[in-house]
Amino acid sequence: MLTMASEKPILYSYFRSSCSWRVRIALALKGIAYDVVPVNLLKDGGEQFSAEFKAVNPMQQVPVLKIDGITLSESLAIIHYLEDTRPNPRLLPQDPKKRAQVRMIADHIAAGIQPIQNLSILNKIGEKKMEWAQNCVVSGFQALEQILQHTAGRYCVGDEVSMADLCLVPQVANAERFKVDMGPYPTITRINKALLELEAFKVSHPSRQPDTPAELRA
């Protein structure tokens, strides 16, 4: 185990960022108190493009977590670090097959769906943004629904909350925001509903963040 630095972790986050939400869920599940520095991805052309934030993350994306004297970007890398240093409750199963399934589903969402429908891509698409986003999510969810029919218990892989679930819930929220019909995805819908009943998913929800606009607050 590492000797933990005494400073409180700092999370650079945007309330609606699905990648930031994944990390907020992990921090909540593991009981890690942290301070939030909001980075508004829309204000003044995007605060992530400021020189100040570029010094924090050269990729100019959220989330970023400052913890234990290091600065980490990329949500799954952050979650893996939290898992390595604060293993309880675990977010990766001990069984190698289940662990591989969790990583597969997490990557399917984090690499195969979310990046091609995120803000930086949609801004380049022009007026067909909604149609593009819907197509990205639908093709990804068609595959994910099939995968989950083989791996799911109560949650994405068996009955324990895992890194896969941390990716699923924010992606379903994106799908709903892009008005994707969730009817064809009963397994995704069922798992999402069960996860949203858990406290860690509630407190990390975009409607309950320090930078959530008043009209979107829970």
Side-chain angles (χ1 to χ4, degrees), residues 93-104 151 157:
Q94 287 176 312
D95 175 71
K97 290 178 183 175
K98 285 187 175 179
R99 185 178 282 239
Q101 289 173 328
V102 166
R103 286 178 166 145
M104 172 181 72
T151 65
V157 178

